[in-house]
Amino acid sequence: MHVRSRWVAMVLALSAGMVMMQAHAVVPVLVIHGGAGVIKRDMDPATQKAIRAKLREALEHGYAQLKAGKPALDAVTAAITVLEDDPHFNAGKGAVFTHEGTNEMDAAIMDGSTLRAGAVADVGHVKNPILLARAVMEHSPHVMLAGQGAETFAREQGIPLVDASYFRTEYRWQQLQKALKRDRLGQHQDEEAEGHFGTVGAVALDTHGHLAAGTSTGGMTDKRWGRIGDSPIIGAGTYANAGCAVSGTGWGEFYIRTVAAHAICMRVAVMHEPLKQAADEVINREIPKLGGDGGAIVLGADGSFAMPFNTSGMFRGWIGADGVPHVAIFADEHP
Ligand code: ASP
């Protein structure tokens, strides 16, 4: 090779290397929630400790994927499966009961860089609904599957199915009994006090600068008539695009009516609102104005994030450059 062309080739190789380094220079971030609601301060210390430990475990498990250069989708899936397997959260094992005493779970996942999405609703035997949502996205021509059809697809995909009794916890059963008693007495369900908390979600930014979001839930205690909440509805409880990823938790009907997750991302993309402001507008103004409540986790492609909520607490946490998991439960904690 001519000396000059060798020199040119060397400069080109060096600059290509720098571009590649830049492409891999994004510092990954993972943010999770374990549900918003009234979380009592007198929750016994052992339960609090166990929940905080599980949030940390989910963050570490998810972040290991990001550190290994894996896609944001892998971090979201890894973090959520840890929480689905833990009985403290209203997702997978420990899901809340329907009016009829069954567990009907919903989940969704979305890849921000491609806008691909997968969701499942009303599944009663899928051990980890988030894995089925991901399979719907990756191995079916559809976005959302429900009920028996979703479980047939799970079987075909080799996604673990379990007996319905696997999901049962005494705590959630007693929650249903209280709700049924209120129904019998004709008392209005105080959603704020009892209805929801424990849904799980994750948003992640990977080393390639790609975002993903996922949410998994048992829905709301005492739900009836095949009710489906916001979590599996793309744009309501779960959404991700190239600039913003959201997972919501709260009174789902209001998240559907405000198309909450999509609304937050559109405020960022179209109205150029700072991420925190956009999240605050939807979660702390639009939703309460209609009578709803809850929270969300929101992550931007620049690594900035917000965790707004208007309930007395939200199980939540994040992990970034230093690799140290930060977790919190109550409103006055700043993780
Ligand atoms: N948003 C969920 C639902 O309405 C419940 C929750 O977040 O706790 O199904």
Side-chain angles (χ1 to χ4, degrees):
M1 199 187 278
H2 193 272
V3 176
R4 187 160 166 272
S5 47
R6 255 212 309 252
W7 186 81
V8 170
M10 205 174 80
V11 171
L12 280 176
L14 268 174
S15 48
M18 281 173 71
V19 168
M20 275 186 61
M21 268 173 66
Q22 263 180 355
H24 290 275
V26 177
V27 176
V29 180
L30 173 65
V31 186
I32 62 171
H33 71 73
V38 171
I39 300 169
K40 296 189 181 73
R41 281 223 171 252
D42 60 7
M43 176 200 298
D44 75 85
T47 305
Q48 260 197 55
K49 204 171 152 202
I51 288 174
R52 287 181 198 273
K54 201 42 82 168
L55 290 171
R56 272 188 218 105
E57 185 186 326
L59 285 167
E60 279 164 353
H61 199 55
Y63 205 65
Q65 304 292 319
L66 297 174
K67 273 206 316 215
K70 300 265 180 66
L73 282 171
D74 286 1
V76 165
T77 317
I80 289 181
T81 50
V82 168
L83 301 174
E84 283 178 335
D85 290 346
D86 187 276
H88 290 102
F89 301 95
N90 172 20
K93 187 170 181 62
V96 299
F97 283 95
T98 65
H99 186 78
E100 289 75 26
T102 55
N103 302 109
E104 295 174 2
M105 290 155 287
D106 304 333
I109 193 160
M110 186 159 187
D111 180 10
S113 61
T114 60
L115 298 185
R116 288 189 312 157
V120 292
D122 189 10
V123 291
H125 300 89
V126 179
K127 181 171 176 278
N128 293 105
I130 196 70
L131 296 182
L132 183 56
R134 186 159 176 185
V136 171
M137 177 178 84
E138 290 177 339
H139 305 299
S140 91
H142 305 302
V143 167
M144 192 178 204
L145 303 181
Q148 277 183 10
E151 295 197 350
T152 302
F153 179 69
R155 217 166 282 121
E156 285 173 19
Q157 292 293 315
I159 303 278
L161 294 166
V162 290
D163 188 80
S165 60
Y166 164 81
F167 301 101
R168 185 197 157 99
T169 58
E170 188 56 24
Y171 173 68
R172 296 298 185 191
W173 184 252
Q174 290 311 325
Q175 254 186 352
L176 174 66
Q177 302 318 307
K178 273 197 237 162
L180 292 176
K181 191 169 166 199
R182 270 197 309 272
D183 287 350
R184 280 196 299 273
L185 295 172
Q187 288 170 352
H188 195 64
Q189 165 104 353
D190 183 353
E191 299 288 355
E192 163 75 1
E194 294 288 347
H196 56 77
F197 69 81
T199 287
V200 307
V203 287
L205 172 69
D206 65 28
T207 52
H208 304 279
H210 296 156
L211 291 162
T215 314
S216 181
T217 187
M220 292 175 77
T221 302
D222 198 23
K223 64 182 182 180
R224 302 180 83 167
W225 307 299
R227 180 263 188 191
I228 292 167
D230 60 310
S231 309
I233 297 180
I234 298 303
T238 307
Y239 187 74
N241 62 21
C244 161
V246 180
S247 170
T249 167
W251 196 343
E253 278 67 12
F254 295 90
Y255 283 67
I256 297 172
R257 289 166 60 195
T258 55
V259 203
H262 186 259
I264 293 171
C265 291
M266 285 306 108
R267 280 178 173 273
V268 173
V270 181
M271 293 157 79
H272 304 293
E273 285 182 5
L275 195 104
K276 280 192 166 57
Q277 186 187 326
D280 205 46
E281 282 294 332
V282 175
I283 300 300
N284 290 328
R285 260 176 283 282
E286 281 187 32
I287 288 176
K289 210 159 58 187
L290 296 177
D293 64 355
I297 48 173
V298 186
L299 177 61
D302 62 355
S304 65
F305 65 89
M307 303 186 286
F309 57 95
N310 48 56
T311 48
S312 70
M314 178 165 84
F315 300 126
R316 61 199 186 279
W318 66 276
I319 185 165
D322 62 1
V324 177
H326 305 262
V327 304
I329 297 178
F330 303 108
D332 54 8
E333 289 178 80
H334 301 284

